[in-house]
Amino acid sequence: MRRTVFNEDHEAFRETIRAFIEAEVVPVYDEWFAAGQAPRDFYYKLAELGVFGIRVDEEYGGAGIDSYKFEAVMYEETARAGVQFGGSGVHVLLGLPYIKMLATDEQKKRYLPKFVSGEEMWALAMTEPGTGSDLAGMKTTAKLSEDGTHYVLNGAKTFITGGVHADRVIVCARTAAPTAEDRRHGISLFAVDTKSEGYSVGRKLDKLGLRTSDTAELAFVDVKVPVEDLLGEENKGFYYLGHNLASERWGIAFGAYAQAKAAVRFAKQYVQERTVFGKPVAAFQNTKFELAACQAEVDAAEAVADRALEALDAGELTPAEAASAKLFCTEVAHRVIDRCLQLHGGYGFMNEYPIARLYADNRVNRIYGGTSEIMKSIIAKDMGL
């Protein structure tokens, strides 16, 4: 199907990213997979390529292009190659929107040049042990000091992508107690320097998928956070989180679609090369029907992902639309990748084949950024149900 979402600039960028992946990622990806993370130095290479600064204003060292389409290209190209860029995705997709929306001019001058150069990698710490999707139930606290110069941060976070290598983490913490009318009241956001005394990285979590992405537990014991590192206004953090969840969920949706598209590519190549009973697996009617059905689902997911991308770039993507895109694309990817793995037979279960890693990587898409069940609740509420 003919797509209209990308132009010549995006396609030129695609060629650059594809060449970069082949040269800098594919040859060492097995090493990253075994280590459970990409090396910190790799992020400097991404920075040199300019991927961290695409949506950052020129005065801070970026390209000043207010569009998510270049990130969409990266989703497609990493999936196509069966690789991940470590935990760097959260740096741009999750960290940057909060800086752009909430940071003062003084904060932007401090944060963004290092953000673009890769000198400071950012992560976002929302989830806590025992709370899961219930962000209003968070227990981490940030109390203003008596002299008003800093906040004292105490608590713990878990499932923090990019948490091992992060230099700054946007931490969600309670600065006031919830009210009887609103459990979400009292949450604030802080750009915490990970070198601060009392800040510690716990376990690097051993995950089923996304093996090259560093995911960690974080702990805060009397961490002093200067008032200059408060993002936005006190007690309005839940609103900020809700505002930026749309872009996060678009990213998960688009990434899932890209994975499904890659799965069909991997399966098609495999069944054309693999011979059983004297003929290629591709020659069997079941193979043709399965791949045809998968392609039809991928076409539909592509249309949904592209529509959400256009709405996001226009500043019109609503929470319900983002939830719908995430629900649909992640469920399609789940079905398509499973069927494509089946066509690989026993080899599909071997990690040396990209479909096996893709199968594991894809599973979390229906969990993080809000579970599929949460997405259904958002959509139902928007329907007036």
Side-chain angles (χ1 to χ4, degrees), residues 75-96:
Y75 280 123
E76 291 187 335
E77 290 305 308
T78 51
R80 180 184 182 277
V83 301
Q84 299 271 338
F85 280 171
S88 65
V90 301
H91 179 66
V92 175
L93 184 66
L94 302 189
L96 186 56

Side-chain angles (χ1 to χ4, degrees), residues 55-289:
R55 290 192 289 110
V56 175
D57 291 343
E58 294 182 31
E59 64 181 298
Y60 305 114
I65 301 173
D66 190 19
S67 173
Y68 284 81
K69 292 183 179 180
F70 293 93
E71 289 169 53
V73 169
M74 286 191 284
Y75 280 123
E76 291 187 335
E77 290 305 308
T78 51
R80 180 184 182 277
V83 301
Q84 299 271 338
F85 280 171
S88 65
V90 301
H91 179 66
V92 175
L93 184 66
L94 302 189
L96 186 56
Y98 289 96
I99 302 174
K100 293 182 69 172
M101 179 175 72
L102 302 175
T104 63
D105 289 342
E106 183 276 330
Q107 287 175 322
K108 288 179 180 178
K109 290 177 182 177
R110 282 194 292 125
Y111 299 153
L112 286 174
K114 294 180 180 180
F115 180 99
V116 172
S117 70
E119 183 179 344
E120 283 191 351
M121 295 299 294
W122 287 60
L124 175 64
M126 293 190 289
T127 306
E128 296 184 359
T131 61
S133 296
D134 182 19
L135 295 179
M138 68 177 62
K139 306 297 184 184
T140 298
T141 60
K143 297 182 178 180
L144 187 63
S145 62
E146 291 185 2
D147 61 8
T149 61
H150 63 273
Y151 292 85
V152 180
L153 182 67
N154 284 282
K157 300 290 181 178
T158 193
F159 305 147
I160 308 308
T161 304
V164 174
H165 286 317
D167 301 289
R168 276 198 185 267
V169 177
I170 300 173
V171 177
C172 313
R174 284 208 163 275
T175 44
T179 65
E181 297 77 21
D182 188 3
R183 293 177 63 242
R184 299 170 295 182
H185 172 75
I187 295 172
S188 301
L189 307 183
F190 300 89
V192 180
D193 186 339
T194 63
K195 297 184 295 295
S196 302
E197 184 177 353
Y199 180 104
S200 63
V201 177
R203 292 185 302 152
K204 179 171 74 67
L205 299 174
D206 184 16
K207 306 186 300 297
L208 170 68
L210 301 178
R211 301 288 298 183
T212 65
S213 170
D214 56 302
T215 304
E217 296 174 330
L218 306 179
F220 321 110
V221 179
D222 294 333
V223 177
K224 293 182 179 180
V225 182
V227 293
E228 292 82 8
D229 287 326
L230 171 69
L231 284 174
E233 298 181 37
E234 263 196 10
N235 304 326
K236 290 189 176 181
F238 200 95
Y239 164 76
Y240 301 143
L241 293 173
H243 182 274
N244 284 333
L245 275 173
S247 60
E248 177 183 354
R249 287 167 179 163
W250 164 79
I252 297 170
F254 204 95
Y257 139 71
Q259 289 176 326
K261 183 177 181 178
V264 173
R265 175 175 177 267
F266 296 144
K268 179 182 175 182
Q269 180 179 3
Y270 178 83
V271 299
Q272 288 175 328
E273 297 173 353
R274 172 72 167 158
T275 300
V276 296
F277 303 117
K279 57 183 179 180
V281 175
F284 292 91
Q285 185 185 65
N286 179 70
T287 303
K288 296 176 181 179
F289 281 8

